[in-house]
């Protein structure tokens, strides 16, 4: 079946540090890939997505590239801010239109000033 | 985009009782989904709720435990029946709109 594996958390960084959160997946065919973010006290929201191999999703300074050869979709940001503190979820969908998402376990990120 | 509200936002319940969670969307949507997020774990899809038909349940979830209603294109309910402490989780509804999935704020359920 389909599955998503994220790097274990929690992750703690200083402000302006470089961030990488690893995400790998197992799926047949060509799934769509997503990163969702859950800020403290808020609901889950889409951060970025990529729907085919070599696509790069980007938003709010975050980037992730769909790598089919390594079945990965690592999240990166060059300089993190305290406001980036949140839980990040990698997810995939086998079905067009972002239906029936399969989530990774989530990575809690804390940024210290 | 879609704005989703859920009621209640949280509840503390006794084992053996049932709780019905409501999900309201600000626009008409074809498909709604219910997820569960157990403490410290990821989100797991419970079922897909289509208007006018029976909900489709994922492996490990059954209608007797999690009955779902979908009376119209903007509303759905999920009932957690005969609760046990293992049902303590955050329950979220979501919808797909413009090929993006939007989530409600969640209902935090604690079962004593």
């Amino acid at each position: 079946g389909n599955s998503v594996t994220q790097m274990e958390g929690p992750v703690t960084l200083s402000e302006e540090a470089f961030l990488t959160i690893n995400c790998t997946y197992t799926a047949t065919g060509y799934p769509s890939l997503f990163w969702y973010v859950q800020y403290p006290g808020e609901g889950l929201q889409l951060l970025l997505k990529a729907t085919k191999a070599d696509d790069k999703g980007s938003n709010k300074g975050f980037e992730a590239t769909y790598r089919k050869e390594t079945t990965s979709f690592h999240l990166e940001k060059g300089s993190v801010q305290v406001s980036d503190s949140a839980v990040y979820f990698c997810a995939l969908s086998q079905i067009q239109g972002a239906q029936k998402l399969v989530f990774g376990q989530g990575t809690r990120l804390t940024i210290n000033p | 985009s879609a704005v989703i509200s859920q009621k209640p936002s949280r509840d503390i319940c006794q084992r053996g009782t049932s709780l019905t969670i409501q999900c309201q969307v600000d626009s008409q949507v074809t498909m709604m989904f219910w997820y569960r997020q157990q403490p410290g774990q990821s989100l797991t899809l419970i079922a897909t709720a289509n208007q006018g038909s029976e909900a489709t349940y994922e492996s490990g979830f059954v209608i007797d435990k999690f009955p779902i209603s979908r009376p119209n294109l903007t509303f759905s309910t999920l009932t957690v029946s005969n609760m046990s402490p293992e049902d303590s989780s955050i329950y979220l509804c979501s919808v797909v709109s413009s090929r993006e999935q939007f989530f409600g704020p969640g209902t935090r359920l604690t079962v004593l």
Side-chain angles (χ1 to χ4, degrees):
Chain A
N2 300 330
S3 66
V4 176
T5 302
Q6 284 180 238
M7 71 185 285
E8 298 255 346
V11 174
T12 302
L13 297 172
S14 298
E15 206 165 21
E16 299 183 4
F18 183 87
L19 169 71
T20 299
I21 301 178
N22 290 338
C23 171
T24 57
Y25 67 90
T26 301
T28 55
Y30 298 89
S32 296
L33 302 174
F34 307 85
W35 277 100
Y36 280 83
V37 59
Q38 190 171 37
Y39 296 104
E42 298 186 19
L44 203 64
Q45 53 187 277
L46 178 65
L47 179 61
L48 54 83
K49 67 179 180 183
T51 57
K52 60 183 188 294
D54 299 326
D55 263 4
K56 178 186 285 189
S58 60
N59 186 24
K60 299 182 180 181
F62 290 90
E63 293 183 339
T65 301
Y66 189 141
R67 301 285 188 202
K68 183 147 182 72
E69 63 276 13
T70 54
T71 62
S72 65
F73 193 54
H74 304 322
L75 183 67
E76 296 182 336
K77 185 172 185 181
S79 176
V80 292
Q81 306 300 313
V82 172
S83 57
D84 294 325
S85 298
V87 181
Y88 293 81
F89 292 92
C90 186
L92 69 79
S93 173
Q94 280 281 44
I95 303 172
Q96 284 288 342
Q99 299 173 25
K100 296 184 78 168
L101 293 168
V102 175
F103 285 88
Q105 63 268 42
T107 302
R108 182 175 297 277
L109 173 67
T110 301
I111 306 300
N112 294 320
Chain B
S1 67
V3 178
I4 304 170
S5 59
Q6 285 185 234
K7 289 181 182 179
S9 58
R10 59 178 63 226
D11 208 342
I12 300 173
C13 300
Q14 297 297 319
R15 69 172 67 208
T17 62
S18 298
L19 176 71
T20 295
I21 302 168
Q22 299 179 7
C23 178
Q24 180 76 52
V25 190
D26 68 342
S27 57
Q28 293 185 338
V29 293
T30 303
M31 299 177 78
M32 297 178 79
F33 304 90
W34 286 98
Y35 289 83
R36 180 175 73 181
Q37 186 177 16
Q38 293 179 297
Q41 299 193 30
S42 187
L43 287 82
T44 302
L45 181 64
I46 298 171
T48 303
N50 296 327
Q51 193 263 341
S53 63
E54 290 282 328
T56 304
Y57 289 83
E58 298 299 307
S59 176
F61 298 96
V62 295
I63 187 171
D64 289 346
K65 176 66 176 176
F66 297 102
I68 289 171
S69 77
R70 183 78 199 276
N72 58 53
L73 292 175
T74 63
F75 187 79
S76 177
T77 67
L78 169 76
T79 298
V80 187
S81 303
N82 188 26
M83 289 184 284
S84 67
E86 292 71 34
D87 294 320
S88 297
S89 296
I90 298 173
Y91 292 85
L92 300 100
C93 70
S94 72
V95 304
V96 174
S97 177
S98 302
R99 300 171 73 87
E100 181 176 331
Q101 190 155 150
F102 296 88
F103 286 82
T107 295
R108 183 181 294 273
L109 170 62
T110 302
V111 184
L112 303 177

